[in-house]
């Protein structure tokens, strides 16, 4: 079952035009892994915090 935070993050990513590739680059993992987490196939410990931080880092990078 999907966790609520993944749906929220996907919506925020869509609105900010942040791609899964951007999140993967910040996390140092593959797009396939990001997809697995966002689709609920994988539930890593600390996933929410790490993915939220990666999202915020992508946004901050765009501001500079």
């Amino acid at each position: 079952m999907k966790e609520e935070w993944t749906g929220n993050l996907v919506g925020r990513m869509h609105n900010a035009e942040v791609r899964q590739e951007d999140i993967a680059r910040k996390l140092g993992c593959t797009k396939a892994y990001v997809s697995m987490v966002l689709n609920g196939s994988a539930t890593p410990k600390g996933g929410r915090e790490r993915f939220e931080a990666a999202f915020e880092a992508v946004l901050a990078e765009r501001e500079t």
Side-chain angles (χ1 to χ4, degrees), residues 17-48:
E17 298 181 359
V18 172
R19 301 170 302 149
Q20 290 184 7
E21 291 90 348
D22 300 325
I23 301 296
R25 182 175 36 84
K26 285 295 177 189
L27 292 173
C29 64
T30 65
K31 178 188 168 203
Y33 179 72
V34 171
S35 179
M36 287 173 51
V37 172
L38 295 179
N39 288 317
S41 298
T43 53
K45 287 187 178 183
R48 179 180 188 165

Side-chain angles (χ1 to χ4, degrees), residues 5-15 18 20 38-39:
W5 71 267
T6 60
N8 291 335
L9 182 58
V10 168
R12 291 171 51 208
M13 288 171 61
H14 173 75
N15 290 336
V18 172
Q20 290 184 7
L38 295 179
N39 288 317

